[in-house]
Amino acid sequence: NGALASFLSTGIKQNGVLVGVFCTQLPPDARPKDTAEWLRTQMASISLQAADAVLPDAMEAFQQAWNSFAANDAQRQSGLQAAYVTNNGYPTGEKDKLDFANGSEEYHAVHKLYHP
């Protein structure tokens, strides 16, 4: 229909250091009427997941993979957005079905391990 999806993202910081990016794609027909309430719901979900013992390991692995992906945050964000959104073969609203992007970078191996 030619409509663009909405992307909501926020940086995740630990001790003032960017350790990751939470990003989600919303198809045009699924945009929340109350974005603040939707974000509160997402943050509650993340809080529940934080109680999972695997989360600290995943965060550490993603931190290392993020740092090794490119020279700076802007290049990392651009490269990963291209790999997981722009070049993702799944249609809008289903981009999360991609378990990992092609490439030899450590980030893709970590994403493959923790995403499915």
Side-chain angles (χ1 to χ4, degrees):
N1 63 18
L4 296 176
S6 295
F7 290 91
L8 296 174
S9 65
T10 186
I12 300 170
K13 291 186 176 185
Q14 185 175 44
N15 298 325
V17 176
L18 183 66
V19 295
V21 177
F22 170 76
C23 180
T24 190
Q25 176 192 24
L26 302 171
D29 57 348
R31 290 183 189 151
K33 292 185 192 299
D34 183 348
T35 303
E37 178 59 30
W38 182 87
L39 284 172
R40 280 191 289 278
T41 301
Q42 295 303 307
M43 293 307 292
S45 174
I46 291 169
S47 293
L48 287 174
Q49 292 174 27
D52 189 342
V54 77
L55 188 63
D57 293 338
M59 290 297 291
E60 186 174 326
F62 272 108
Q63 172 68 55
Q64 183 175 338
W66 169 266
N67 288 338
S68 69
F69 188 81
N72 60 53
D73 286 346
Q75 291 173 343
R76 293 175 190 119
Q77 184 175 0
S78 175
L80 291 170
Q81 184 174 6
Y84 286 90
V85 180
T86 308
N87 300 328
N88 182 329
Y90 287 98
T92 299
E94 297 180 22
K95 301 285 187 182
D96 61 323
K97 290 182 178 180
L98 179 67
D99 288 332
F100 62 97
N102 292 326
S104 61
E105 293 87 352
E106 178 186 7
Y107 191 92
H108 306 312
V110 171
H111 201 276
K112 181 179 181 180
L113 179 64
Y114 289 105
H115 185 269

